[in-house]
Amino acid sequence: DAGGPLLPRRDFLAGAAAVAAAAVVGGAVPARALGGGWSGGARWSQVAHDLSASRVSARGPEGLDIRWRRPIAGGLTGPPLIVGRHVVAASLGGEIAMFDLADGRERWRVELGRASYPGAEGPVELGFFGGCAVEGGRVVAASDRLHCLRLSDGSVLWQGEPLDYFWGAPVIACGLVLAGSGAGTEATATRGRVSAYRLADGVQVWSTPMVPAGANGGGVLSPVSVDPARRTLFAGTGAPYIPQAGANPGTSSVVELSLRDGRLLWSDQVHPADTRGFDVNSAPLLTPRVIAVTAKDGVWAWDR
């Protein structure tokens, strides 16, 4: 209801992503992956399945009976991943764990803590909201920083420096960990960013703010999507946290960045001068001809 009260950003994040895959292309172009992860087997190692954010597995579910369940601190706001014969999950309570897919046997569990942010009714403590990504025998999850663990035993390989809060899950492509950040609390006038880190050792390669110096907002609230052939990535950005006069460029936008250096290649602002919180809050869906996203007010698509 565009005329009704707005809900906090986090209330929209978990459910918004699937809408784009179902509604945008109208059957004109198959929503197939452009690269990475499309193996046709039991592998779902990034939150949106593959680098194109297709959210489609080549093999459908065989049944919906509950085979097993295991508790994990804080519950899951990001989906668990299927990697071979295992399930990997990162929880809002700050835990990362791996279980056997067949029977739920726990292989390892690591407690990495939560980040604390001021809220209207007291501190808000956030672990891993978006989930995690797996590649090359490594698990990467992000809260107020990136954490990289060894897949085989959960041992910590490296941790990044704190950077606001990573709402969306990290994405691994071309040897890089790509993650979008925003404010941990909407009262903070911070700038959203997309940052790239080397998977091997966690060294930051580049970090690109979504809005100019002195502005705020443009938080990247969902995973980025990657076109490996073009060596670019796409991200959706949020509204200003604290509205300012003017168009507030970079907020409520879709952007394309160079994988090599984070340089801005293309941007389109859906809602200039937005004061109502109409975030672009899904991972961009990439097909060979279309880029599509969901925002709080609807579905948007562009000719690539």
Side-chain angles (χ1 to χ4, degrees):
D1 180 1
L6 295 179
L7 296 178
R9 284 173 170 81
R10 66 176 63 97
D11 292 342
F12 284 86
L13 298 183
V19 177
V24 292
V25 291
V29 181
R32 64 175 175 83
L34 294 175
W38 189 266
S39 63
R43 179 175 173 84
W44 193 300
S45 60
Q46 308 214 46
V47 166
H49 183 272
D50 49 61
L51 298 180
S52 304
S54 73
R55 308 173 184 89
V56 176
S57 175
R59 203 164 61 189
E62 298 176 359
L64 298 178
D65 292 338
I66 295 175
R67 295 185 179 181
W68 54 264
R69 66 176 76 222
R70 295 292 181 268
I72 188 164
L76 300 182
T77 46
L81 305 180
I82 297 173
V83 184
R85 297 179 180 180
H86 301 99
V87 177
V88 181
S91 80
L92 193 60
E95 289 185 346
I96 304 177
M98 186 169 78
F99 308 90
D100 286 348
L101 178 61
D103 58 11
R105 177 188 174 191
E106 184 175 310
R107 290 293 176 171
W108 53 260
R109 183 185 298 246
V110 179
E111 167 59 53
L112 292 168
R114 295 170 290 179
S116 183
Y117 300 94
E121 300 179 358
V124 176
E125 295 189 340
L126 300 170
F128 303 109
F129 189 91
C132 55
V134 175
E135 187 63 44
R138 298 178 177 221
V139 182
V140 182
S143 54
D144 64 333
R145 69 195 73 195
L146 292 180
H147 303 262
C148 181
L149 283 61
R150 183 177 285 111
L151 179 62
S152 60
D153 59 11
S155 57
V156 176
L157 298 174
W158 54 261
Q159 293 176 305
E161 294 296 321
L163 182 63
D164 297 322
Y165 186 75
F166 296 94
W167 288 101
V171 171
I172 302 173
C174 304
L176 297 174
V177 181
L178 306 162
S181 61
T185 172
E186 295 183 20
T188 303
T190 190
R191 295 195 290 170
R193 289 179 171 272
V194 176
S195 302
Y197 304 80
R198 288 200 310 236
L199 176 61
D201 56 13
V203 170
Q204 188 180 90
V205 179
W206 51 260
S207 183
T208 301
M210 298 292 98
V211 299
N216 74 93
V220 180
L221 307 174
S222 293
V224 302
S225 301
V226 179
D227 186 339
R230 288 169 56 92
R231 304 283 297 185
T232 66
L233 68 86
F234 296 83
T237 72
Y241 296 116
I242 301 175
Q244 299 173 324
N248 293 305
T251 62
S252 303
S253 300
V254 169
V255 302
E256 182 179 11
L257 304 178
S258 165
L259 269 182
R260 185 178 66 84
D261 56 11
R263 178 170 45 94
L264 178 65
L265 303 176
W266 175 85
S267 176
D268 191 17
Q269 189 175 34
V270 177
H271 293 297
D274 178 29
T275 61
R276 306 186 66 184
F278 285 155
D279 305 318
V280 176
N281 56 0
S282 76
L285 171 67
L286 307 182
T287 78
R289 287 166 34 197
V290 173
I291 307 162
V293 297
T294 53
K296 284 187 178 177
D297 64 330
V299 182
W300 299 74
W302 292 260
D303 189 315
R304 295 191 67 185

